[in-house]
Amino acid sequence: MINDQAPDALPVHGTAPSVTGSTVGRIFIGLLVLAFAGVTGLFAPFLVMASDGCSEEDARMICSAGAQQIVGGLPVGAAFAAALLAVVGMASRSAAGWGCLLAAPCVLVVSWVVSLGIAGS
């Protein structure tokens, strides 16, 4: 045989890295945020249908084309950004990871508040 000895360069540890409660919590919160982002991205753009009752002389904000684009596009963009933040938060073990997990639902809530504010006015 060419190599009768085990290589000394590879350290062998007796145990696998442990999964702590913090890791499980971070992944669970991240999955909840991903679900919220999916719901936001799929259903919040339907708020554009609030403009169905608009007539030409209607002065409501949702009756303008720009507001309809905001109500339709903002939740989709927010859902994408929140999903990205959630994945970064689940992957990172630092304080920045927890910051990303906290920022993601805030982005989604702001998009809902803005969309509902425009659609309801």
Side-chain angles (χ1 to χ4, degrees):
M1 288 223 133
I2 297 174
N3 284 333
D4 289 337
Q5 298 177 354
D8 294 330
L10 299 173
V12 177
H13 299 288
T15 60
S18 65
V19 176
T20 63
S22 175
T23 302
V24 172
R26 189 175 62 244
I27 291 173
F28 180 72
I29 291 171
L31 291 175
L32 285 176
V33 170
L34 285 173
F36 186 27
V39 168
T40 299
L42 287 174
F43 296 114
F46 287 130
L47 292 173
V48 173
M49 291 191 302
S51 67
D52 285 349
C54 291
S55 62
E56 290 182 23
E57 59 272 348
D58 204 344
R60 291 183 299 157
M61 184 180 280
I62 191 64
C63 294
S64 71
Q68 291 173 7
Q69 289 178 348
I70 290 171
V71 170
L74 180 66
V76 174
F80 179 75
L84 185 63
L85 285 170
V87 169
V88 168
M90 286 191 294
S92 176
R93 294 184 180 188
S94 66
W98 283 108
C100 288
L101 283 176
L102 292 174
C106 294
V107 168
L108 294 171
V109 167
V110 167
S111 76
W112 274 100
V113 167
V114 170
S115 295
L116 286 171
I118 292 173
S121 63

